Amino acid sequence: MSNQQTAIFGGGCFWCLEAVFQRMTGVQKVESGYMGGHLDKPTYRQVCEGTTGHAEVVRITFDPTEVSYRDLLDVFFAIHDPTTLNRQGNDAGTQYRSVIFYESEEQRREAEQAIADLTAARVFPGPIVTALAPASTFFVAEDYHQDYYRNNSAQPYCRFVIAPKVRKLEHAFADKIR
């Protein structure tokens, strides 16, 4: 699998992003975790306090011959609100910020172009506040956060917050799902 690349996005609760990206063609693995803070080996409890500087993120391993980085960016911007600073719905704090951690200059340029395209098309009513930052150490979240939606789809948060994002993917990006 030498064609593997990774993308790292934060856009609110990592459970939401994980559930969506796991359904995409060409995505081989999605891991929930933390990035962008100052604490080594942060825990969920520490990150939720909002003092570590980490964001909840997903690390997406994908095959670029099946799905492009730009396709992943398009889905990322469609399933969360990139115009709200440090908040997605009722999830508030810097740990829920909209952020793209790029792993190469090519990814940085593609993310900047995606933002410029969305801004020019006036897709959102306000300015996009998604931060761009070089990838740093990725800390895998605790086991109970992995495959959260698959394992807990009957939970109220899953039904009322995650499921609509999954439906949006299935409707708006039908050609990109397995």
Side-chain angles (χ1 to χ4, degrees):
M1 292 194 206
S2 60
N3 281 337
Q4 286 185 337
Q5 290 184 18
T6 56
I8 302 167
F9 303 139
C13 177
F14 46 32
W15 301 337
C16 297
L17 296 177
E18 178 192 61
V20 167
F21 287 110
Q22 283 178 330
R23 287 163 172 70
M24 291 186 67
T25 301
V27 170
Q28 298 160 338
K29 184 177 184 180
V30 183
E31 298 170 284
S32 292
Y34 317 108
M35 186 175 280
H38 56 79
L39 190 65
D40 192 32
K41 299 180 185 168
T43 66
Y44 181 67
R45 182 175 298 259
Q46 290 168 323
V47 172
C48 283
E49 290 173 2
T51 60
T52 69
H54 291 88
E56 288 191 14
V57 298
V58 290
R59 179 170 61 183
I60 304 159
T61 304
F62 67 100
D63 181 344
T65 65
E66 295 182 45
V67 63
S68 70
Y69 184 71
R70 180 58 189 252
D71 289 336
L72 297 175
L73 287 168
D74 290 345
V75 169
F76 169 70
F77 283 111
I79 62 166
H80 85 294
D81 182 353
T83 67
T84 56
L85 186 63
N86 301 329
R87 171 185 287 284
Q88 288 297 305
N90 289 331
D91 295 328
T94 58
Q95 68 271 29
Y96 300 114
R97 66 189 178 270
S98 178
V99 60
I100 297 168
F101 288 103
Y102 55 87
E103 295 200 325
S104 67
E105 283 304 302
E106 181 181 347
Q107 283 188 353
R108 181 190 58 77
R109 284 191 299 274
E110 284 189 64
E112 287 174 342
Q113 187 62 55
I115 291 169
D117 292 347
L118 291 166
T119 300
R122 298 177 191 260
V123 171
F124 300 102
I128 293 173
V129 297
T130 302
L132 300 179
S136 55
T137 304
F138 176 81
F139 297 99
V140 177
E142 296 81 354
D143 286 345
Y144 67 94
H145 291 297
Q146 308 306 322
D147 296 314
Y148 192 85
Y149 183 69
R150 284 184 189 163
N151 296 327
N152 300 280
S153 60
Q155 295 288 340
Y157 188 90
C158 293
R159 290 193 340 248
F160 298 112
V161 178
I162 301 174
K165 293 174 186 275
V166 171
R167 285 192 298 274
K168 186 171 190 176
L169 170 77
E170 292 168 350
H171 181 262
F173 298 94
D175 61 325
K176 305 270 187 262
I177 60 174
R178 309 176 208 246

